[in-house]
Amino acid sequence: MKSGNLIIALLIILIIGIGALGYSMMSLYNEMQKEINNLNSTILNLNNKTQITYNEKLSELANKIGSLENSINNFNSSVNTQILSLQQQINSLETQSQFPVTLIDATNTSVTITSYPERIVSLDPATTEILLSINATNQLVGVDNDSFYYLPPQYENELWKLYNEGKIINIGSTYSEPNIELILSAKPDLVIGTYQWSFSAVAQELKNYGIPTVLLPSYNSLSDLYNAIIMAGRSTGNIKNAVNLVESMSANISYFRYLINNISPQNVSYLLWINPTYVAGGNTFQNDMFILSGNNNVFSNISGWPIISPEELLQANPSIIIIDSNGGLINETTLISWLQSSIGNAYQNISAIKYNRVYTINGYYSDYLDEPGPMVIYGIKLLMMITHPSLFNLTTVPNNISPNTFPLNK
């Protein structure tokens, strides 16, 4: 009995001890959980503070970097501006050092240009094209009326822009002779024109006013054109640009020679007007263009731009006839009417007509063939595409040729 009571007492004490221990452990757990929560909160706060501090530092650093970049950019810009200014001064001094310049122009006249010309007047389209091509644009104060209408679009647009801004004036038509009073009103320190326009009287009159006038050789051959570009470069202080232009043209021509190396030449005639009918003969830059495009000029035996008869064209019997439309005034129909009125139906025996190889040149393509300026390079390519289309993988050539119907970028 006593033993049983003792066991019961011990069980009660054990149960009470276990309960007390469980309570203590629960309390300890709660305390530990509370400490853990506090620790997590502390760590979170610390992380937040650290992140805030990090972001602040990063933002501050980014601002400093941006400020440094601005300083560097401002410094570079300042240095670049100073370098550009110095380069311009060096170029100006280099240009000024080229003067005075004395040269012999196409009339065999000695012309002296005492200082860098800042006000230049051009007397004809070919000269204007050369001046624009050697970057003498900002020196121009006047050009002939025909330059506004007989040059490729890039040059016409530039001239009209200058004209509308009041930077250049129109000095009158090349064909009716430039207006001396208008030239004088532009206050030029240099006037440049092409010898073949018979500007000798104009040059002499301007000389009487103390204005140097240079007449360029441009019409008899491409060699004349090269000389004209170099002469214009020397006269205007743009000799480097002139030399670079001639070198570029020469490189293109070398390539054309390579293309035509193994082709059979066509017999070609170029008609500049019909009734009276003017053709491009020998000793002309256009004759050189025919040769460089891989062709023979059937009138190369006659110098200059002669007037021919229907009988002469029939006898020459070109395999290809090219007509300058002169702004749409003449075409193949004009040609046939002129021929038929003199030789009747015999005109049908001319190979170019018989095999439908008469081509009329329209738009600014005429400028490529008619003006002895740097754009003759495009004229040579145009002639090659018309007369030897297979070189450019062309199967047909339209009879009416214009920038729209026959693009040169093929």
Side-chain angles (χ1 to χ4, degrees):
M1 179 72 177
K2 288 181 179 179
S3 178
N5 290 338
L6 180 61
I7 292 172
I8 292 170
L10 288 172
L11 287 172
I12 291 171
I13 292 170
L14 182 60
I15 291 169
I16 292 172
I18 291 172
L21 180 60
Y23 178 80
S24 297
M25 290 182 66
M26 181 63 69
S27 296
L28 180 60
Y29 173 79
N30 288 336
E31 288 296 325
M32 290 179 66
Q33 189 65 47
K34 186 184 294 184
E35 289 299 323
I36 290 171
N37 289 338
N38 290 336
L39 182 59
N40 285 335
S41 178
T42 301
I43 292 171
L44 181 61
N45 290 334
L46 182 60
N47 284 339
N48 288 338
K49 289 180 179 179
T50 302
Q51 185 66 37
I52 291 170
T53 303
Y54 175 77
N55 289 337
E56 288 176 349
K57 292 294 184 181
L58 186 61
S59 178
E60 181 181 351
L61 183 59
N63 289 334
K64 288 182 178 179
I65 292 173
S67 177
L68 181 61
E69 285 179 341
N70 288 334
S71 298
I72 292 172
N73 289 336
N74 290 335
F75 177 75
N76 286 339
S77 177
S78 176
V79 170
N80 289 336
T81 300
Q82 292 180 49
I83 291 174
L84 180 61
S85 176
L86 287 172
Q87 188 62 54
Q88 289 173 341
Q89 292 179 52
I90 291 170
N91 290 340
S92 177
L93 288 172
E94 185 179 4
T95 299
Q96 294 289 349
S97 69
Q98 298 173 21
F99 294 89
V101 168
T102 298
L103 47 83
I104 306 298
D105 74 359
T107 65
N108 204 33
T109 300
S110 177
V111 181
T112 298
I113 304 155
T114 57
S115 60
Y116 175 75
E118 298 180 345
R119 302 183 63 82
I120 300 174
V121 168
S122 171
L123 298 178
D124 60 87
T127 298
T128 302
E129 184 177 307
I130 291 173
L131 293 175
L132 293 174
S133 297
I134 63 172
N135 201 30
T137 308
N138 293 332
Q139 296 164 264
L140 282 173
V141 293
V143 300
D144 66 293
N145 181 72
D146 305 296
S147 288
F148 288 98
Y149 301 100
Y150 295 115
L151 292 180
Q154 65 266 38
Y155 294 132
E156 284 189 8
N157 293 339
E158 193 166 10
L159 291 176
W160 279 111
K161 182 176 182 292
L162 293 172
Y163 180 80
N164 291 330
E165 291 174 350
K167 295 180 179 178
I168 62 173
I169 66 169
N170 184 332
I171 63 164
S173 174
T174 302
Y175 296 96
S176 60
E177 196 168 285
N179 187 307
I180 294 294
E181 291 182 359
L182 285 174
I183 293 175
L184 294 176
S185 71
K187 300 179 180 178
D189 48 18
L190 176 64
V191 174
I192 306 181
T194 304
Y195 168 62
Q196 277 76 6
W197 282 106
S198 301
F199 289 140
S200 296
V202 174
Q204 183 57 50
E205 189 167 355
L206 292 172
K207 183 179 179 181
N208 295 336
Y209 287 97
I211 302 172
T213 302
V214 176
L215 298 184
L216 308 175
S218 298
Y219 274 68
N220 291 339
S221 67
L222 286 182
S223 294
D224 276 353
L225 175 55
Y226 288 161
N227 290 333
I229 292 171
I230 297 299
M231 191 178 293
R234 290 188 62 203
S235 302
T236 63
N238 294 285
I239 185 63
K240 285 186 177 180
N241 294 333
V243 170
N244 290 339
L245 177 59
V246 169
E247 288 177 346
S248 174
M249 293 175 65
S250 180
N252 277 293
I253 286 175
S254 294
Y255 177 63
F256 294 153
R257 290 184 189 277
Y258 163 76
L259 287 180
I260 64 172
N261 190 40
N262 295 313
I263 63 172
S264 299
Q266 299 283 350
N267 294 320
V268 182
S269 177
Y270 182 45
L271 279 57
L272 292 92
W273 189 257
I274 296 173
N275 197 19
T277 301
Y278 289 88
V279 297
N283 297 319
T284 63
F285 72 96
Q286 288 149 331
N287 187 65
D288 282 3
M289 292 171 71
F290 286 130
I291 295 171
L292 291 170
S293 61
N295 299 292
N296 298 321
N297 177 7
V298 296
F299 291 108
S300 62
N301 60 315
I302 311 174
S303 295
W305 294 268
I307 297 175
I308 63 164
S309 66
E311 289 79 9
E312 287 174 304
L313 187 61
L314 177 63
Q315 183 178 0
N317 193 28
S319 56
I320 295 176
I321 294 175
I322 299 174
I323 303 171
D324 179 0
S325 74
N326 285 268
L329 296 177
I330 56 177
N331 52 35
E332 183 178 1
T333 301
T334 314
L335 170 64
I336 291 174
S337 296
W338 171 69
L339 290 170
Q340 202 167 25
S341 66
S342 179
I343 60 175
N345 290 334
Y347 78 87
Q348 296 175 359
N349 294 320
I350 298 175
S351 293
I353 295 175
K354 184 176 182 179
Y355 296 105
N356 192 32
R357 301 203 70 184
V358 178
Y359 304 103
T360 303
I361 307 298
N362 299 279
Y364 62 82
Y365 278 0
S366 294
D367 307 328
Y368 292 163
L369 300 180
D370 294 344
E371 296 298 338
M375 294 295 104
V376 297
I377 293 298
Y378 295 103
I380 295 171
K381 183 178 181 181
L382 178 63
L383 290 174
M384 291 175 67
M385 290 175 65
I386 294 171
T387 57
H388 303 289
S390 61
L391 290 175
F392 302 89
N393 297 318
L394 297 171
T395 56
T396 60
V397 178
N399 293 104
N400 285 305
I401 293 176
S402 71
N404 292 328
T405 64
F406 200 60
L408 277 177
N409 57 358
K410 291 188 177 181

